[in-house]
Amino acid sequence: MGTCGIVLLTTASPKPWPLRSSSPRALPVPRIRCCSVSELSPDKLPTSIDFSVTGGAYDFSKATTSLTNEFISSPKKVTLLRHGLSTWNSESRIQGSSDLSVLTEVGEEQAKRCKKALENIYFDQCFASPISRAKQTAEIIWQGREKPLVYLDSLKEISLYHLEGMKNADAKQIYPKEYTIWREDPANFIMNGRYPVRDLWKAAKDCWKEMLLSPGESFLVVTHKSILRALTCTALGLGPERFRSIDINNGGICVFNFNVRGEAMLDALNTTAHMYSDHVYPG
């Protein structure tokens, strides 16, 4: 997106999210007319979207693959969020499913930013990974909401066995063959007789089905980068060979809308405007 104007990504229902932006002055705000970035100011931010003028998708049916293979109770909106910066993120260590990495002070502040950004949005439930760094993030974001957090083992991060806890540079030196396959051909990465990325794809499909068959129409999901990649790719019908086609930052938000067939439409990918500004998303 250039500095001369605003590009919008919207859908008809539920309400859309802005595109990713790294600058508060470049926040992509839905408008009736095109405008320059210089015209934007906090008092002009909309509290709702006029869907008749955004050009967003009106409806979709039979357009993608069902994640449930059965009808769900109602259309749903699922907001996926990656945990805040962790100790092992900051040390460039391989985390995997280890529970030894926790949020840093920066990570806690990032979680608070996410909480503020989502304060106008009602969620029927929050699903979270029980691993500490995601659990801490979910607890911060969900504080003050009435319903209890729901922890799902299917939202745990990928298992990387003896690589976990190692700095990337050390793993590359000590296990050059395994590390190279993990980085360059993750779908064929094998460890302890398992294919971790393929296992992750199965977990993602199981997780989608469990969440989409749960009561409610709006869900928040707080988890980790690799499982978020798998959730995003499986929703779009992409296989494990596409694992590294998607990146999601700490605090990054992805949004999917689902029709009653359990078919997904991607509404936002790695939205991070709230991480660089005080932006609050409309409810």
Side-chain angles (χ1 to χ4, degrees):
M1 183 172 65
T3 57
C4 61
I6 302 300
V7 178
L8 304 180
L9 176 65
T10 61
T11 59
S13 179
K15 294 181 179 179
W17 290 76
L19 291 171
R20 177 184 177 185
S21 172
S22 60
S23 168
R25 290 181 61 80
L27 289 177
V29 182
R31 304 284 295 226
I32 292 179
R33 62 184 179 83
C34 294
C35 63
S36 66
V37 172
S38 60
E39 293 180 77
L40 299 180
S41 61
D43 62 319
K44 295 180 181 180
L45 294 176
T47 56
S48 61
I49 309 298
D50 182 352
F51 298 106
S52 65
V53 297
T54 61
Y58 176 74
D59 196 4
F60 68 107
S61 178
K62 299 183 180 179
T64 59
T65 302
S66 172
L67 293 174
T68 56
N69 294 318
E70 60 183 280
F71 284 97
I72 59 179
S73 59
S74 63
K76 298 181 188 289
K77 177 178 180 179
V78 182
T79 301
L80 307 172
L81 186 147
R82 186 184 172 197
H83 63 76
L85 185 76
S86 70
T87 50
W88 284 9
N89 284 149
S90 63
E91 295 170 5
S92 189
R93 293 185 184 273
I94 298 172
Q95 297 188 111
S97 59
S98 172
D99 203 21
L100 299 178
S101 179
V102 297
L103 292 186
T104 62
E105 289 185 9
V106 171
E108 291 178 358
E109 289 301 315
Q110 290 175 334
K112 291 175 183 177
R113 279 188 170 274
C114 293
K115 175 180 174 64
K116 177 68 175 177
L118 299 172
E119 65 181 6
N120 288 338
I121 301 175
Y122 174 80
F123 296 107
D124 293 292
Q125 293 192 68
C126 178
F127 300 103
S129 162
I131 295 176
S132 293
R133 55 194 185 273
K135 183 179 180 182
Q136 288 176 275
T137 303
E139 288 172 346
I140 291 172
I141 294 173
W142 203 246
Q143 185 177 13
R145 304 224 183 199
E146 294 182 3
K147 296 185 179 180
L149 287 163
V150 178
Y151 296 104
L152 300 179
D153 285 343
S154 55
L155 286 172
K156 286 183 176 180
E157 185 57 304
I158 190 171
S159 294
L160 294 174
Y161 304 97
H162 56 267
L163 295 183
E164 293 181 359
M166 298 184 70
K167 289 190 175 182
N168 278 279
D170 294 337
K172 184 177 181 180
Q173 182 177 2
I174 298 170
Y175 301 104
K177 181 179 179 180
E178 290 174 316
Y179 186 82
T180 298
I181 296 174
W182 161 237
R183 298 300 303 177
E184 298 181 5
D185 188 16
N188 291 313
F189 171 65
I190 187 170
M191 184 168 281
N192 286 20
R194 305 289 304 181
Y195 289 91
V197 174
R198 299 182 194 180
D199 289 343
L200 197 68
W201 247 243
K202 182 181 184 305
K205 291 176 181 178
D206 291 344
C207 185
W208 272 128
K209 188 166 185 177
E210 181 173 2
M211 292 190 298
L212 292 175
L213 293 177
S214 298
E217 297 182 356
S218 179
F219 302 146
L220 175 64
V221 179
V222 183
T223 187
H224 314 267
K225 178 190 278 193
S226 292
I227 184 63
L228 282 171
R229 283 171 160 169
L231 288 167
T232 301
C233 285
T234 52
L236 296 175
L238 302 176
E241 69 279 359
R242 308 301 297 175
F243 176 75
R244 296 204 184 278
S245 298
I246 293 170
D247 198 18
I248 301 170
N249 296 351
N250 292 113
I253 291 173
C254 304
V255 181
F256 280 94
N257 291 321
F258 290 87
N259 61 22
V260 293
R261 296 176 180 270
E263 300 168 334
M265 178 180 286
L266 178 63
D267 199 22
L269 179 64
N270 197 25
T271 299
T272 56
H274 58 286
M275 302 300 286
Y276 307 99
S277 72
D278 294 327
H279 186 64
V280 178
Y281 299 109

